[in-house]
């Protein structure tokens, strides 16, 4: 099945909803600056906080969609996760795996491309947000609680690689 | 005639932000994302909680800086966009003040804050009132409208600072009321950075 996106606007509160969840539009400046802020406060766990915030905030959207549409097949659930990632403007993703491990590639990325547009390439990966999203996606696909998967970015569009690659491992 | 926020909001709110075949949303000379407000709020609160007392101000400033730079660049993209020219510009009769009103209408239409200018002394001071803003959804016990603060300072800079991209940091914004701390609305005061605080 293909993801169905229902965008609504409450003309009393002037708030936007995506499939019933309050969403807000922001730009690559804000997202890449938030990413840099996380690194600036690395001693406080900034990168981990960014990834976990993404995992915790995005997981309910995925769980809700899966539940409402009665999707039980893990591969279908991963596909929904990929399509959601694209629908919210974060890039184009391909994922595969099982409850023990998996891999994800990005051929387009809001964060990596936004970073390059703003500051140019850098030698090290920095897509912590997507690490969190992937953890949420695998958790939703395999009915696992938050923090069940470790996600490591191995190569990155921001470093000039043709795609970003993430390795997923069950904790 | 001047800029009528509700008319602008209703026209611009119909724009559907969904990723293209590359999963990206290019608009207003930037890449747009459409994320749960819960993500931004969760990140902000957890970062603030992670900061020890002696670094709270540093964290606040850093969070506001993200929004300030975003507001300056995206704000410029907004006020020079075709959408703005089509919808807002025909209502502009009071120069920079009306462009600012239009920018806040877009700010509202994008779901950041149901907000508008309550007082303005051109080039010097502005009071913005927000009757609903997503940053107020969390109740951490302190005012956390960092995004509204940063963007408000940036918008005022676009209207009255050096021409883009040479401006920035001409103005600062303080939050004096917050729905997240029990006030009936959020209130944000923009002043020059070289004026006494």
């Amino acid at each position: 099945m293909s993801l169905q996106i229902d965008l609504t606007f409450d003309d009393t509160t002037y708030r936007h909803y995506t499939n019933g969840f309050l969403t807000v539009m922001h730009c690559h400046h804000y997202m890449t600056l938030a990413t840099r802020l996380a690194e600036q406060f690395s001693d406080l766990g900034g990168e981990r906080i960014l990834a976990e915030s993404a995992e915790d905030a995005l997981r309910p959207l995925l769980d809700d969609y899966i539940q409402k549409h009665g999707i039980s097949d893990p591969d279908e659930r991963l596909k929904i996760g990929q399509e959601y990632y694209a629908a919210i403007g974060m890039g184009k993703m391909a994922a595969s795996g099982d409850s023990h491990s998996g891999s994800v590639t990005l051929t387009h990325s809001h964060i990596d491309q936004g970073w390059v547009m703003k500051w140019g390439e850098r030698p090290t990966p920095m897509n912590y947000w997507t690490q969190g999203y992937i953890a949420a996606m695998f958790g939703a696909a395999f009915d696992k609680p938050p923090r069940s998967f470790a996600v490591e970015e191995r190569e990155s569009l921001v470093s000039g690689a043709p795609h970003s690659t993430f390795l997923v491992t069950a904790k | 005639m001047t800029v009528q926020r509700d008319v602008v909001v209703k026209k611009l709110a119909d724009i559907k932000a969904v990723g293209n075949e590359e999963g990206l949303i290019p608009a207003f000379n930037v890449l747009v994302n459409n994320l749960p407000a819960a993500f931004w709020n969760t990140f902000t609160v957890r970062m603030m909680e992670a900061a020890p007392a002696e670094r709270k101000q540093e964290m606040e400033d850093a969070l506001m800086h993200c929004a300030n730079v975003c507001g300056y660049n995206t704000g410029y993209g907004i006020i020079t966009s075709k959408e703005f020219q089509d919808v807002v510009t025909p209502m502009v009769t009071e120069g920079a003040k009306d462009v600012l009103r239009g920018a806040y209408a877009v700010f509202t239409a994008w779901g950041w804050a149901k907000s508008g200018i309550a007082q303005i002394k051109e080039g010097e001071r502005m009071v913005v009132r927000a009757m609903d803003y997503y940053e107020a959804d969390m109740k951490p016990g302190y005012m956390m409208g960092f995004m509204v603060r940063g963007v408000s300072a940036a918008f005022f800079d676009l209207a009255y600072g050096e021409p883009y991209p040479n401006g920035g940091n001409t103005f600062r914004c303080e939050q004096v009321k917050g729905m997240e701390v029990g006030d009936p609305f959020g209130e944000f005061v923009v002043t020059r950075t070289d004026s006494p605080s």
Side-chain angles (χ1 to χ4, degrees):
Chain A
M1 72 179 295
S2 290
L3 179 74
Q4 297 165 31
I5 290 286
D6 180 28
L7 299 175
T8 54
F9 180 68
D10 183 326
D11 56 14
T12 304
T13 59
Y14 291 170
R15 287 181 176 224
H16 292 266
Y17 296 85
T18 300
N19 288 348
F21 285 81
L22 177 67
T23 50
V24 58
M25 290 186 280
H26 274 295
C27 64
H28 74 271
H29 293 285
Y30 200 45
M31 177 55 91
T32 54
L33 282 157
T35 301
R36 200 174 67 168
L37 182 147
E39 290 187 330
Q40 179 187 340
F41 290 97
S42 189
D43 59 322
L44 302 180
E47 299 96 330
R48 176 187 52 78
I49 290 171
L50 178 55
E52 291 180 358
S53 297
E55 180 179 5
D56 294 342
L58 274 295
R59 177 71 184 267
L61 272 77
L62 298 171
D63 284 344
D64 178 74
Y65 192 92
I66 286 165
Q67 188 264 325
K68 281 183 178 159
H69 293 265
I71 302 166
S72 55
D73 176 42
D75 289 336
E76 277 296 308
R77 291 182 175 187
L78 285 180
K79 189 177 167 202
I80 290 300
Q82 295 166 57
E83 293 182 7
Y84 234 129
Y85 188 80
I88 59 179
M90 296 308 289
K92 191 166 185 181
M93 167 189 284
S96 62
D98 55 30
S99 60
H100 304 290
S101 64
S103 67
V104 175
T105 59
L106 301 182
T107 51
H108 294 278
S109 162
H110 173 91
I111 295 172
D112 291 275
Q113 291 173 240
W115 187 288
V116 172
M117 286 163 65
K118 197 164 175 57
W119 294 304
E121 291 184 359
R122 54 177 271 167
T124 52
M126 53 77 223
N127 202 334
Y128 314 109
W129 191 94
T130 296
Q131 289 179 27
Y133 183 86
I134 291 169
M137 185 171 78
F138 272 73
F142 298 104
D143 282 326
K144 299 289 186 186
R147 315 287 184 265
S148 290
F149 291 94
V151 181
E152 181 188 357
E153 188 173 5
R154 286 290 182 89
E155 56 181 343
S156 176
L157 288 161
V158 82
S159 306
H163 48 250
S164 296
T165 306
F166 298 82
L167 290 185
V168 184
T169 313
K171 289 180 180 174
Chain B
M1 183 160 116
T2 185
V3 173
Q4 297 163 61
R5 184 192 69 181
D6 292 355
V7 174
V8 175
V9 169
K10 283 184 169 54
K11 287 185 178 177
L12 291 180
D14 284 339
I15 295 172
K16 300 297 183 192
V18 179
N20 62 18
E21 67 280 357
E22 296 177 342
L24 301 173
I25 308 173
F28 303 106
N29 299 317
V30 296
L31 295 176
V32 175
N33 58 63
N34 185 33
L35 303 183
F39 161 68
W40 294 108
N41 285 341
T42 301
F43 177 63
T44 298
V45 169
R46 288 182 184 176
M47 290 301 287
M48 284 295 290
E49 286 174 355
E54 68 274 16
R55 296 184 70 187
K56 295 284 185 200
Q57 188 61 53
E58 180 189 356
M59 184 67 75
E60 269 192 34
D61 292 346
L63 288 163
M64 201 182 71
H65 177 72
C66 294
N68 185 252
V69 174
C70 155
Y72 190 64
N73 290 285
T74 306
Y76 182 76
I78 287 170
I79 62 179
T80 55
S81 69
K82 184 178 184 305
E83 292 88 344
F84 195 90
Q85 303 298 327
D86 288 348
V87 175
V88 181
T89 303
M91 300 182 194
V92 172
T93 56
E94 295 182 33
K97 199 192 301 187
D98 261 356
V99 172
L100 256 181
R101 289 189 181 114
Y104 273 97
V106 177
F107 191 82
T108 301
W110 276 32
W112 292 344
K114 186 176 182 178
S115 57
I117 301 167
Q119 294 172 23
I120 185 167
K121 183 178 178 186
E122 292 197 74
E124 294 295 329
R125 187 175 187 273
M126 173 173 72
V127 177
V128 173
R129 229 166 248 172
M131 306 311 293
D132 190 48
Y133 49 107
Y134 75 83
E135 289 177 305
D137 290 355
M138 301 285 262
K139 311 291 182 201
Y142 50 84
M143 288 189 273
M144 61 169 275
F146 307 122
M147 191 275 301
V148 179
R149 286 175 63 191
V151 172
S152 292
F155 280 3
F156 209 60
D157 214 315
L158 287 168
Y160 299 108
E162 289 293 313
Y164 181 90
N166 300 320
N169 302 317
T170 317
F171 300 97
R172 63 168 171 259
C173 180
E174 300 298 331
Q175 183 176 4
V176 295
K177 289 182 180 169
M179 297 171 76
E180 64 274 31
V181 292
D183 294 320
F185 50 81
E187 191 165 281
F188 304 84
V189 180
V190 178
T191 53
R192 300 187 68 87
T193 49
D194 57 8
S195 68
S197 50

